[in-house]
Amino acid sequence: MNAAEGITSLIFFGPPGVGKGTQAKLLAGELGVPHISTGDMLRAAAARGSELGKKAKQIMDSGHLVPDDVMVGIVREALASPEARRGFILDGYPRTLPQAKALVAMFDELDISLYRVVQFEVDDEELVRRLSNRLVCAKDGTIFNAQTDELTLRSPCPDCGGNLIQRDDDREATVRERLKVYKQTTEPVIHFFEQLGVVVSVDAGESVDMVSREIRLMLREDL
Ligand code: AMP
């Protein structure tokens, strides 16, 4: 790791819709480290129609969590890859306490001692607003907000002209279930990392630019 860059082994933690994916894409590009999004990996498996993908798609569309052993295997492989040697941004993992414990064990194996959990905080109403307005480019995965970016499902992607879609699990009933699962199962995992002294928190209610600036500043000052 280059100290001038700040800490480059990062876990983005927070509820669905909080902006983790948007920020992870930006910062990973800047730092030249992989953006490891477990949700994106599962959606890619579903699009390929693999056995794992088909099973995962059913679970994702119900708003529930894919089993821990499957997720631990996926993340172990991603972290052990040569691309992740200079750092990484994990987005959407861990979501349960066993996943968190498995992650810390992997860090030990891989000799990763300097890492941070960036906790994204925003109120629930804003989350529902963001999720119901979320549009994703089917071609390159860029995330937009229908309201603030003034786009509809019929608009071409402003970046690459691809089709914009709504994720199946961003429909209202699934969103409610995902937020429930987050509160019950995922949110408490932050206490595990707090005890390890590796958590930094960011106010994710601000604009994309402001949040991005805050994260970069925090990671540099935290060294
Ligand atoms: P995301 O794109 O991070 O919101 O993830 C979409 C869906 O993929 C989640 O609602 C889960 O069904 C599944 N998923 C992604 N990451 C995990 C994980 N770490 N553990 C269990 N399920 C996951």
Side-chain angles (χ1 to χ4, degrees):
M1 190 203 71
N2 175 354
E5 285 175 347
I7 300 169
T8 55
S9 298
L10 302 169
I11 299 157
F12 279 11
F13 189 94
V18 78
K20 302 186 297 295
T22 300
Q23 294 295 337
K25 278 194 177 71
L26 281 174
L27 190 60
E30 236 170 79
L31 297 176
V33 300
H35 168 208
I36 304 174
S37 157
T38 46
D40 283 353
M41 287 156 110
L42 294 172
R43 279 183 290 279
R48 282 195 304 272
S50 68
E51 273 314 302
L52 164 71
K54 279 188 228 158
K55 276 191 208 134
K57 168 96 176 113
Q58 266 185 346
I59 299 172
M60 286 191 283
D61 287 352
S62 71
H64 294 133
L65 297 181
V66 172
D68 287 339
D69 54 340
V70 176
M71 298 314 303
V72 170
I74 290 177
V75 169
R76 183 186 301 281
E77 200 174 310
L79 287 184
S81 75
E83 296 83 60
R85 215 165 285 153
R86 285 188 59 247
F88 50 82
I89 301 181
L90 253 182
D91 162 17
Y93 181 102
R95 274 174 145 101
T96 66
L97 191 58
Q99 290 183 16
K101 290 184 172 168
L103 183 65
V104 170
M106 283 181 232
F107 285 173
D108 277 348
E109 280 167 36
L110 296 165
D111 242 350
I112 298 166
S113 54
L114 187 60
Y115 65 93
R116 287 291 178 270
V117 177
V118 181
Q119 181 185 24
F120 286 66
E121 294 179 308
V122 83
D123 61 59
D124 283 356
E125 266 171 56
E126 177 65 15
L127 287 180
V128 176
R129 227 185 346 261
R130 287 190 190 178
L131 286 166
S132 55
N133 275 297
R134 175 156 68 183
L135 295 174
V136 185
C137 172
K139 210 161 146 191
D140 62 15
T142 308
I143 301 162
F144 298 97
N145 181 295
Q147 211 174 21
T148 55
D149 294 321
E150 296 181 8
L151 296 166
T152 71
L153 281 167
R154 285 184 297 279
S155 318
C157 168
D159 290 352
C160 73
N163 287 333
L164 297 181
I165 54 167
Q166 183 181 40
R167 277 171 46 170
D168 288 341
D169 60 351
D170 279 347
R171 303 211 170 105
E172 204 188 321
T174 314
V175 163
R176 258 188 265 117
E177 191 57 30
R178 288 164 65 205
L179 291 176
K180 203 167 97 191
V181 169
Y182 177 77
K183 294 262 179 229
Q184 281 173 355
T185 311
T186 305
E187 199 170 50
V189 174
I190 201 67
H191 303 308
F192 170 76
F193 288 113
E194 275 166 355
Q195 279 165 4
L196 298 177
V198 292
V199 179
V200 291
S201 295
V202 60
D203 174 6
E206 303 289 346
S207 69
V208 172
D209 281 351
M210 292 262 290
V211 175
S212 169
R213 218 170 304 152
E214 199 187 332
I215 295 172
R216 275 178 286 148
L217 214 79
M218 240 167 21
L219 294 174
R220 262 186 231 128
E221 284 173 355
D222 196 28
L223 273 178

